Amino acid sequence: MNKTLTSLISLLLPLLFFSCKNQSNSEKVHVIEEGRWRGEISMQGQKMPFNFSLQNDSTGYTITLLNGEEKLLLDEVVVEKDSLKATLHIFDIDLKAKIESPKKISGIYTKNYIDGYELPFEAEFNKNQRFTPSSEVSDFELNDRYEIMFIPDQEDPAYPSVGEFYSNGNMLNGTFLTPTGDYRYLQGNIIGKEIYLSTFDGNHAFLFKAEIKGDSLVNGHFWSGKSWHERWSGVRNELAELSNPDSLTFIKEGYDGLSFEFPDLEGKMISLTDEKYQDKVVLVQIFGSWCPNCMDETKFYKQWYDENHSRGVEIIGLAYEQKDDFEYASSRVKKMKEKLGVNYDFLIAGINDKAEASKTLPMLNKVISYPTTIFIDRSGEVRRIHTGFSGPGTGIHYERFVEDFKSFTEELIDEGN
């Protein structure tokens, strides 16, 4: 080999090695730490914190969202090279992130069904606090029930609520009950004389703040997602109550009862007059697959239906979805049905706009809330309409709902047998 060729090879070998090394590094799968993480979604000039755990086993990666006692499993998580993507449970929503290091990720929270709906977020490993470390001392306690009023910035009317809070040191948990449902599991801290609470269940990205002033909570703010904001305040009142949820939605005068005809998930038209529903107790669930409170209710109904279906019971879920597109709506409800293991029937009834939903059921005074349940006895008579749902995040209120629900449905099932 001549000197010229030898020199050329000696010059090319380092370049070849450098090229191969760069290619290997660019294709390398980044390591990401398993365990507890703390994230922050940036919205409306605020930082909304949330906690989650990340695990990897033989089946792949999973994320568990943590809100107080709630543990919400996300099993559609993909880690590839330097990126992470997590589909948020049954919702058409994703977290998409770059793995900055084994202990840090950053990216966007995006609602796929809304054009341009993106919010930045970042998360760090081994951060256990919500807003502040639990070791910090607080001079205040909250183990009380409050009469609350929320006032939206938008044209929507003010509405009452009952707030219930439970503190332990500077750690705070609780929820808000409203006439149309609850705000699920809230978790946060007492910092100085202020309270901070948040929840992140995939669809809800809620942040609450208020100042403690004697028996009152003042200067309250509620931020939700990209643009919604409400002011709120409250006063301690152990006797605070909301309107009876069985009195808010009703059959209008001039109508004999409930009737409808909507397509099922395969497009076949289904009606209450179909033979399948005759001489049976039928619950009609007005809901949406995008609605976390509806998810809570559906989990409860799934178990109750499986236990009682053989006794002459049917449930029909009327889905009001985010898009006026049958294929899209059907695919979302099918995913929810599969994820939650639900065996009762679902129909595609319309879009989630309440005014438009009310037009599809003209015998109702209006559709006030997702969810709403209509109870029909074996003779086809509407016996009760329950607006909203007090889910497991409401503690004793959920237990009372379950007790009343089971007692009432037992009466309906036994009638005529």
Side-chain angles (χ1 to χ4, degrees):
M1 184 180 296
N2 60 44
K3 287 186 177 181
T4 303
L5 183 58
T6 302
S7 299
L8 182 60
I9 291 173
S10 65
L11 288 172
L12 288 176
L13 278 175
L15 293 175
L16 180 62
F17 175 78
F18 180 77
S19 175
C20 291
K21 183 178 181 181
N22 281 351
Q23 182 179 13
S24 176
N25 285 341
S26 67
E27 294 179 355
K28 181 180 178 180
V29 176
H30 286 220
V31 175
I32 183 167
E33 292 284 357
E34 296 180 51
R36 190 180 176 102
W37 288 66
R38 178 183 184 271
E40 287 185 337
I41 296 176
S42 298
M43 58 187 212
Q44 303 181 55
Q46 307 295 318
K47 299 286 189 180
M48 190 222 72
F50 64 102
N51 302 107
F52 65 94
S53 64
L54 185 145
Q55 302 295 331
N56 183 24
D57 58 25
S58 59
T59 62
Y61 284 91
T62 60
I63 285 175
T64 302
L65 298 179
L66 306 171
N67 296 295
E69 296 179 1
E70 179 180 51
K71 295 177 174 58
L72 190 60
L73 178 66
L74 311 180
D75 58 4
E76 297 177 76
V77 181
V78 177
V79 176
E80 189 174 67
K81 297 182 181 178
D82 66 345
S83 67
L84 178 149
K85 178 183 176 183
T87 298
L88 294 173
H89 201 45
I90 64 174
F91 310 118
D92 189 13
I93 304 172
D94 294 319
L95 288 175
K96 302 175 182 178
K98 179 181 179 182
I99 303 172
E100 306 282 358
S101 75
K103 297 184 178 182
K104 184 176 181 180
I105 61 174
S106 63
I108 58 169
Y109 163 66
T110 177
K111 293 189 174 183
N112 300 313
Y113 53 85
I114 302 176
D115 291 340
Y117 194 107
E118 295 183 350
L119 293 170
F121 87 96
E122 59 183 20
E124 289 187 82
F125 173 71
N126 203 25
K127 300 287 185 179
N128 295 320
Q129 72 268 27
R130 194 70 165 197
F131 291 86
T132 190
S134 59
S135 58
E136 292 189 8
V137 177
S138 172
D139 295 328
F140 292 90
E141 290 185 359
L142 281 184
N143 292 286
D144 303 297
R145 185 175 176 88
Y146 284 78
E147 184 177 347
I148 305 288
M149 183 63 69
F150 283 96
I151 305 173
D153 288 352
Q154 295 78 353
E155 295 181 357
D156 292 56
Y159 61 93
S161 171
V162 172
E164 295 190 338
F165 310 108
Y166 313 94
S167 65
N168 180 12
N170 83 331
M171 294 186 292
L172 184 65
N173 291 283
T175 194
F176 293 95
L177 298 94
T178 79
T180 58
D182 65 277
Y183 285 171
R184 305 188 77 256
Y185 297 88
L186 302 179
Q187 181 183 352
N189 296 100
I190 303 175
I191 305 175
K193 62 179 181 179
E194 293 182 318
I195 69 168
Y196 296 81
L197 290 161
S198 68
T199 191
F200 181 58
D201 54 31
N203 194 13
H204 288 159
F206 286 174
L207 174 63
F208 298 87
K209 175 184 175 181
E211 180 183 343
I212 302 170
K213 189 174 182 180
D215 286 342
S216 298
L217 297 174
V218 299
N219 300 322
H221 293 271
F222 166 35
W223 296 273
S224 173
K226 195 171 184 178
S227 60
W228 190 265
H229 174 259
E230 298 176 357
R231 290 170 290 119
W232 64 278
S233 60
V235 60
R236 183 183 294 131
N237 181 358
E238 293 300 321
L239 301 178
E241 295 288 347
L242 296 171
S243 302
N244 183 350
D246 296 338
S247 68
L248 302 177
T249 309
F250 52 85
I251 301 291
K252 294 188 296 190
E253 287 189 28
Y255 288 91
D256 294 331
L258 188 70
S259 63
F260 55 77
E261 187 177 45
F262 299 119
D264 67 11
L265 303 185
E266 306 304 327
K268 179 183 177 182
M269 300 304 293
I270 302 296
S271 170
L272 263 178
T273 59
D274 292 346
E275 183 178 357
K276 178 177 182 178
Y277 308 112
Q278 299 310 297
D279 302 317
K280 293 183 179 180
V281 174
V282 180
L283 276 58
V284 177
Q285 177 194 24
I286 298 173
F287 86 108
S289 67
W290 47 270
C291 163
N293 289 91
C294 302
M295 174 183 67
D296 292 340
E297 183 184 69
T298 300
K299 289 178 179 178
F300 171 73
Y301 282 173
K302 172 258 187 305
Q303 181 178 349
W304 179 82
Y305 178 78
D306 289 347
E307 293 171 352
N308 292 279
H309 176 231
S310 61
R311 302 173 66 194
V313 166
E314 296 292 346
I315 300 180
I316 306 173
L318 302 184
Y320 291 86
E321 293 299 305
Q322 295 284 358
K323 293 183 180 181
D324 188 16
D325 178 286
F326 177 81
E327 294 302 325
Y328 176 85
S330 177
S331 69
R332 299 314 310 171
V333 178
K334 284 178 180 177
K335 179 170 185 177
M336 182 209 72
K337 185 174 182 177
E338 179 182 355
K339 283 277 188 186
L340 302 183
V342 186
N343 295 314
Y344 57 80
D345 297 332
F346 291 99
L347 311 181
I348 304 302
I351 60 173
N352 71 327
D353 179 271
K354 292 177 183 176
E356 293 300 315
S358 297
K359 294 177 183 178
T360 68
L361 298 169
M363 68 289 303
L364 300 182
N365 60 319
K366 56 183 174 179
V367 174
I368 298 174
S369 172
Y370 305 101
T372 293
T373 299
I374 304 168
F375 297 77
I376 303 173
D377 66 19
R378 295 182 186 275
S379 68
E381 180 183 350
V382 173
R383 299 284 292 274
R384 176 185 286 185
I385 302 179
H386 186 90
T387 303
F389 178 71
S390 295
T394 67
I396 187 64
H397 303 286
Y398 174 68
E399 294 173 12
R400 290 171 181 167
F401 163 80
V402 170
E403 182 180 354
D404 178 69
F405 174 90
K406 290 184 175 180
S407 174
F408 182 67
T409 52
E410 279 296 318
E411 291 180 17
L412 295 183
I413 291 170
D414 289 342
E415 289 177 1
N417 279 344

